[in-house]
Amino acid sequence: MSERRYDPQEIEPRWQRLWADERTWEVPNQPVGRGGGQRSESFEKSYVLEMLPYPSGEPHIGHLKNYALGDAIAHFHRRIGRRVLHPMGYDAFGLPAENNAIKTGVHPRVATDRSIAAYRHWFHRWGISIDWSREFGTHEPRYYRWTQWIFLKLFERDLAYRKEAAVKWCPNDQTVLANEQVIDGRCERCGFEVELRQLEQWFFRITDYADRLLDDLDEIRWPEHVKSMQRNWIGRSSGAEVSFRCHELGIDYPVFTTRPDTLFGATFFVMAPEHPDVFRLAAGTRREAEVHHYVNHALTEKAEDRGAAEKPKTGVPLGRTVRNPISGEQIPMYVADYVLMEYGTGAIMAVPAHDERDHAFAVAYDLPIRRVIEGTPEDGGDAHGLPYTGDGPMVNSGEFDGIHNRAAYDAIVTWLDREGNGHRSVSFRLRDWLVSRQRYWGCPIPIVYCARCGMVPVPEADLPVELPDVEDYKPKGRSPLAAAEDWVSTSCPQCGGPARRETDTMDTFVDSSWYYLRYCDALDDDAAWDRRVLAQWMAVDQYIGGVEHAILHLLYSRFFVKALADMELLDVQEPFEALFTQGMILGPDGYKMSSSKGNVVAPSAIVERYGADAARCYVLFMGPPDQDAAWSDSGVEGVYRFLARLWRLSEDLAGPSSAEPPLEPDGDALTLVRKANWAIEKVTGDMSGRFAFNTAIAAIMELVNEIYRHPVADEAARRFAVATAASLLFPFAPHLGAEVYERLTGRRAWEEPWPAADPAMLTADAFELVCQVNGKVRDRLSAPTGAPREQLEQLALASSRVRARLDGLTVVRVIVVPDKLVNVVAR
RNA sequence: GCGGCGGUGAUGGAAUGGUAGACAUGGCGGCCUCAAAAGCCGCUGUCCCUUGGGGACGUGUGGGUUCGAAUCCCACCCGCCGUACCA
């Protein structure tokens, strides 16, 4: 054995230099000629993409896992003959760089570019196969020029609009937030409790796409839990809108209900404290003061307290009544904080007999409870207990009595429609996307305000509206850009008169909602992309990232693609055909890594100690890649030992002779050749379809172990086995894979087609026949492969161990599974 | 509450109707060495029979389907993630 040691610090930079010098991973676009430009038939494309990183400091271990995963897939796709697009960029705008600027005075651009340099360095050092010719940061004017262009396209189609609304405001970050950025009533970034503010802001009309965003989930290969999160978030429920008329004021109040069948049971009516008509309704009644007091209290209450699950129901009467359109009775109106302004119409019909919340309220305020659906025990419903939310025949419902409530549902909606009192309706939980932010480090919104012309879009030719430098980044409730007077003050593109620029910037999720489109045509300075070039690559065939983006980024991107498709700017309906969500790497203590816990594992330290290959292999070997797993130092050492074992084999066997399998191997050589073919089959299977990288790597380990177990086998067989191990390992540990493969074959692993197993080597002459008696293993015998069932049965019945178990019993039946087992059933 | 996912040795995990525990970690023993490191080889689910070998048990719990169940079905317990006074 060699005296030299496996030294990744020598091997890895050598290959990295070669790949950089030769630009190995660059893939040019196909020329787009007149008329043509569609995807060429001569190759199958594969767009493999990991979520782009937000550059902050240095990459962490989660990045390593993300890119190790994507790179393995990209390499595998290349070697099975696909043309692979595997680009990289940076999600470079955002609050952390800006907050850092406030603290240190360093311009966010400087800090961000420094981080980008670090990320780029490490991606090279990890040996990730990236097409660097397409790299960009979303903070570069050559990119955000087109972000602004998309904004204008949305504005043109009225998909971007400005309106005043009660919006979520983070008092710490001094900016508004999208609904999706509020977690449990707190800012997802800093954890401060959000406040409601009435402000005029920019929105994207994502709600126009709610139905398609929901329905098209069925068309994409995404993990079920991510789809389910999106379905939840969009929250479609179908029901009816029903009008309740207040005669005293002569106003119709519509409510949304999913249970029009219970309309006869609506015995009171409740409005949200935020409902704009609450004060108007109470005005002049003896309840006026009480209503004011209640509403003011509700509006100042913290979101967290108000939403508390076990909170008792409170509310006050408005002193008015509305008419139940179907029963004709006048029912009292209330204001209560359990009704939400943001959902439905901000008012509800209350059916205490068949809704838990309405029931609790009715009990607290002694309101009438009228059952309209009879519960039946076989429906699982208590025939007497209320509230009853199950199904059953209608009662107390006039002409609808006696029919099943599901049938009554349709009948009542039809009746409402005919009488002009309501109609079928669908309600969504999804709100429009609030995209403006009162912060500096983001993409400027390309709009100017002119005293004469009003809101005017910046002409396309004037893009980009460049982000100016400012002195003071500190947020003061308005964008720091507002202080850049020279920049704000401009002239109107329409009339030439004095005008002022929009000083809000865009939510950074806007930047990342289309970056994968730009990669396809990253160098195009005349357009965001050429539709024909986009057609060569889109959609992304495999997207890989963290589950934390299940709603925000993934929903916004889907919305963008649908909106752009409607504008005939691209030809797909979904951006990401398949999605893989990786699990988190936890600290060695099993907790989420955080500097405050002191359990952070820095990839730089691991790579310096064990090399990039060992680090990459280990994060893939830890367990199924979609599962969380705790870091283990001894685990990475084990993988390093495995790589070193393979490397030492190549030391012994290096040389110019071939690594072709021997023609007619026997004995140890045959065992080795078979094992190598078994590994090819196993790794190929683990990588196609499912991403069982952990078991793929385990199979290569088995192969290497087998080679060690047969040190005196025929050299041709050993060379073939080692070269095969290197070839299979290449997608996971590209440096060592290339190194060993070249030593044995003189060729480059990435230029080789993926190996195909020799079917003749996948089966042996004999197999181990498992003999069971009544389902329990009693013996294992060697039997010839492909033997007929009768022969296997006889073999098993001849076994003395089997016979001993059958003593005194009668054989009832014998089950034979060819090439596997025999089960003797005896009584 | 609703939706999704999961529960297997000391540990990460493998096995998706056919030999439970691949592979790796940790542990124990051996070889090499003056010694150590590295490396190589072997053993390692639990309990029992006092061990050449054999037996029983064993995949959260209880039931079911099946010749055969970690795997399929029903009920329950526990954990994680998302969401929630959504009408």
Side-chain angles (χ1 to χ4, degrees), chain A residues 572-626:
Chain A
V572 290
Q573 283 297 322
E574 286 287 337
F576 315 121
E577 192 48 45
L579 172 71
F580 186 85
T581 51
Q582 68 189 82
M584 227 188 319
I585 297 183
L586 307 170
D589 53 5
Y591 293 102
K592 200 170 163 173
M593 287 188 194
S594 81
S595 38
S596 61
K597 282 204 209 78
N599 62 349
V600 175
V601 176
S604 54
I606 301 299
V607 169
E608 274 155 27
R609 184 145 176 214
Y610 301 104
D613 283 336
R616 293 176 56 165
C617 272
Y618 174 60
V619 298
L620 299 180
F621 182 66
M622 289 173 89
D626 54 347

Side-chain angles (χ1 to χ4, degrees), chain A residues 358-395:
Chain A
D358 298 343
H359 187 263
F361 191 84
V363 167
Y365 292 89
D366 202 21
L367 289 157
I369 299 170
R370 185 190 311 136
R371 156 166 245 143
V372 294
I373 296 171
E374 206 60 67
T376 51
E378 58 267 29
D379 286 334
D382 174 347
H384 301 289
L386 288 177
Y388 174 67
T389 53
D391 295 324
M394 305 287 294
V395 290

Side-chain angles (χ1 to χ4, degrees), chain A residues 381-650:
Chain A
D382 174 347
H384 301 289
L386 288 177
Y388 174 67
T389 53
D391 295 324
M394 305 287 294
V395 290
N396 297 325
S397 297
E399 57 180 293
F400 302 97
D401 276 0
I403 62 175
H404 192 266
N405 71 300
R406 299 280 178 99
Y409 182 110
D410 289 319
I412 289 175
V413 172
T414 306
W415 182 88
L416 285 167
D417 216 357
R418 199 173 56 225
E419 299 293 314
N421 284 323
H423 52 87
R424 208 169 281 282
S425 168
V426 173
S427 199
F428 292 94
R429 213 189 75 104
L430 183 70
R431 304 289 94 186
D432 274 344
W433 174 13
L434 199 173
V435 294
S436 44
R437 296 290 180 274
Q438 290 70 53
R439 298 296 302 238
Y440 170 73
W441 188 232
C443 176
I445 294 174
I447 295 286
V448 302
Y449 299 95
C450 166
R452 206 173 319 161
C453 312
M455 198 155 62
V456 182
V458 172
E460 239 178 74
D462 295 349
L463 297 182
V465 175
E466 287 212 38
L467 187 64
D469 287 342
V470 296
E471 300 290 313
D472 183 6
Y473 308 104
K474 211 175 213 99
K476 301 177 180 75
R478 56 173 198 167
S479 167
L481 285 180
E485 188 51 40
D486 289 354
W487 179 83
V488 174
S489 164
T490 183
S491 53
C492 171
Q494 256 169 42
C495 71
R500 300 185 65 77
R501 288 190 190 280
E502 169 64 66
T503 57
D504 283 358
T505 52
M506 291 184 222
D507 180 2
T508 55
F509 280 103
V510 179
D511 309 325
S512 57
S513 290
W514 75 282
Y515 75 102
Y516 48 90
L517 301 174
R518 182 64 181 170
Y519 282 146
C520 298
D521 204 5
L523 303 178
D524 193 338
D525 283 329
D526 303 321
W529 58 78
D530 182 319
R531 182 176 177 178
R532 295 164 301 178
V533 170
L534 222 58
Q536 288 176 23
W537 294 114
M538 284 298 289
V540 172
D541 295 271
Q542 184 63 58
Y543 200 34
I544 305 131
V547 73
E548 65 274 15
H549 293 109
I551 295 168
L552 293 151
H553 165 62
L554 291 169
L555 193 64
Y556 295 152
S557 295
R558 296 182 60 223
F559 158 61
F560 260 48
V561 160
K562 289 182 191 305
L564 292 165
D566 286 353
M567 298 177 206
E568 307 201 318
L569 292 167
L570 48 78
D571 302 289
V572 290
Q573 283 297 322
E574 286 287 337
F576 315 121
E577 192 48 45
L579 172 71
F580 186 85
T581 51
Q582 68 189 82
M584 227 188 319
I585 297 183
L586 307 170
D589 53 5
Y591 293 102
K592 200 170 163 173
M593 287 188 194
S594 81
S595 38
S596 61
K597 282 204 209 78
N599 62 349
V600 175
V601 176
S604 54
I606 301 299
V607 169
E608 274 155 27
R609 184 145 176 214
Y610 301 104
D613 283 336
R616 293 176 56 165
C617 272
Y618 174 60
V619 298
L620 299 180
F621 182 66
M622 289 173 89
D626 54 347
Q627 254 171 55
D628 293 353
W631 180 268
S632 148
D633 284 326
S634 46
V636 71
E637 252 172 272
V639 171
Y640 174 87
R641 276 201 285 271
F642 153 65
L643 297 180
R645 273 158 72 82
L646 177 61
W647 180 85
R648 278 197 305 277
L649 288 172
S650 78

Side-chain angles (χ1 to χ4, degrees), chain A residues 209-218 231 234 236 558:
Chain A
Y209 287 81
D211 271 315
R212 283 162 66 188
L213 287 169
L214 196 63
D215 293 339
D216 289 356
L217 284 171
D218 297 335
R231 285 191 191 107
I234 296 166
R236 177 165 68 191
R558 296 182 60 223

